[in-house]
Amino acid sequence: MDDPTLIILMYFIIPIWFVAGIVDWFCHRRSNISGTSGAKESLIHLLMFAEVGIPLFMVLIFEVNSLIIAISILLFFVHEATAMWDVSYAVTKRRVGPIEQHVHSFLEMIPLLALVLVVGRHWPHFTALFGFGDIPADFVLELKEDPLPMWYLVTVLLIALALEFVPYLEELMRGIKSDRQSDNDDSIDTEGRSVTPVSDAEAEAASPFASSVAGEEDPGVALEELVGSSNVVTPISKNSKKR
């Protein structure tokens, strides 16, 4: 295994996707997603998991040809559209804090980076999609002639289930349970804290300088407060002058 692009895909891109996914789930939990945007947003998250997971599975298991590349490109654009739908819905129901927004940037760019690396490794199959190059487009689904190590495939599958699918499924279950509960003026989050629902106006006004419902720390606001406090000048009283 001396191909640097393959090493980057296996040991950098996929682990970063796992980390970003679980951090995003934690941000959802902290912002009381089950009591605000509820099961609908969780279903959208599971849909996006499938849109990234399907091409990832195919690249790991099957020979990458024009078919795999075409499916990966299509699902990338579908994933981007779904991500827009997700955020457009979420900001009308809950505050999306700056940390979560930053995590979203990783979750959007990681599939693009992976797609670019896959295309780079199999350039002739990519150009064949458009009728260029020396080989015809291959749309046959075949297992890899030189498969990846079984231990790696099993590890990726187990981690994907443990850190991506199961947490988001749990998030969906919490949302469904919350939807079934009686309507209250104040909702109670999963940690037992009373959280006032976010109004549409408050949610739509959420920005990188807004903090989340559950008190997610905002580095931007914290920095502004620090600078502001350091610039406060204490007036000198008359008694002080006499001394």
Side-chain angles (χ1 to χ4, degrees):
M1 188 182 298
D2 55 357
D3 187 342
T5 59
L6 180 59
I7 295 174
I8 291 172
L9 279 168
M10 292 174 62
Y11 299 108
F12 180 72
I13 298 298
I14 293 178
I16 287 293
W17 177 53
F18 289 154
V19 172
I22 197 63
V23 172
D24 192 43
W25 171 85
F26 183 75
C27 289
H28 300 161
R29 188 180 181 89
R30 292 287 294 171
S31 65
N32 188 28
I33 188 174
S34 60
T36 52
S37 53
K40 178 178 178 179
E41 187 181 359
S42 297
L43 284 171
I44 298 175
H45 295 157
L46 286 172
L47 176 60
M48 288 192 291
F49 171 78
E51 291 164 354
V52 174
I54 289 173
L56 171 63
F57 174 80
M58 297 184 76
V59 167
L60 293 177
I61 301 297
F62 299 103
E63 285 291 344
V64 177
N65 53 21
S66 299
L67 174 65
I68 302 296
I69 292 175
I71 293 174
S72 299
I73 292 174
L74 175 62
L75 288 180
F76 168 76
F77 284 108
V78 172
H79 177 266
E80 290 298 297
T82 308
M84 288 291 293
W85 175 28
D86 173 42
V87 175
S88 298
Y89 174 72
V91 297
T92 65
K93 301 297 181 181
R94 63 183 179 91
R95 288 195 183 96
V96 181
I99 294 177
E100 184 178 346
Q101 293 185 36
H102 193 60
V103 172
H104 286 174
S105 67
F106 277 85
L107 291 173
E108 291 179 17
M109 289 298 101
I110 288 172
L112 176 61
L113 179 57
L115 178 59
V116 169
L117 289 174
V118 169
V119 168
R121 295 189 71 245
H122 304 277
W123 186 253
H125 292 287
F126 172 71
T127 57
L129 279 172
F130 308 97
F132 301 109
D134 300 327
I135 63 173
D138 184 2
F139 295 101
V140 178
L141 196 62
E142 297 178 331
L143 294 174
K144 287 184 178 297
E145 294 182 3
D146 185 15
L148 296 175
M150 182 57 65
W151 68 264
Y152 178 82
L153 296 176
V154 172
T155 300
V156 168
L157 178 60
L158 292 178
I159 293 177
L161 290 174
L163 295 185
E164 303 298 322
F165 181 73
V166 171
Y168 282 99
L169 184 61
E170 182 271 342
E171 177 184 285
L172 175 63
M173 294 299 101
R174 277 189 287 118
I176 293 174
K177 181 180 178 180
S178 179
D179 291 343
R180 290 175 178 174
Q181 291 176 348
S182 60
D183 295 333
N184 297 316
D185 292 336
D186 291 341
S187 62
I188 304 298
D189 71 3
T190 55
E191 303 297 329
R193 297 166 298 193
S194 178
V195 180
T196 302
V198 182
S199 67
D200 289 348
E202 289 175 324
E204 290 175 355
S207 72
F209 299 100
S211 57
S212 72
V213 174
E216 178 183 330
E217 292 297 329
D218 181 356
V221 172
L223 180 60
E224 286 184 348
E225 291 178 350
L226 178 63
V227 173
S229 63
S230 63
N231 290 335
V232 174
V233 178
T234 303
I236 301 176
S237 64
K238 293 181 179 181
N239 293 334
S240 298
K241 289 182 178 179
K242 290 179 180 180
R243 292 178 187 174

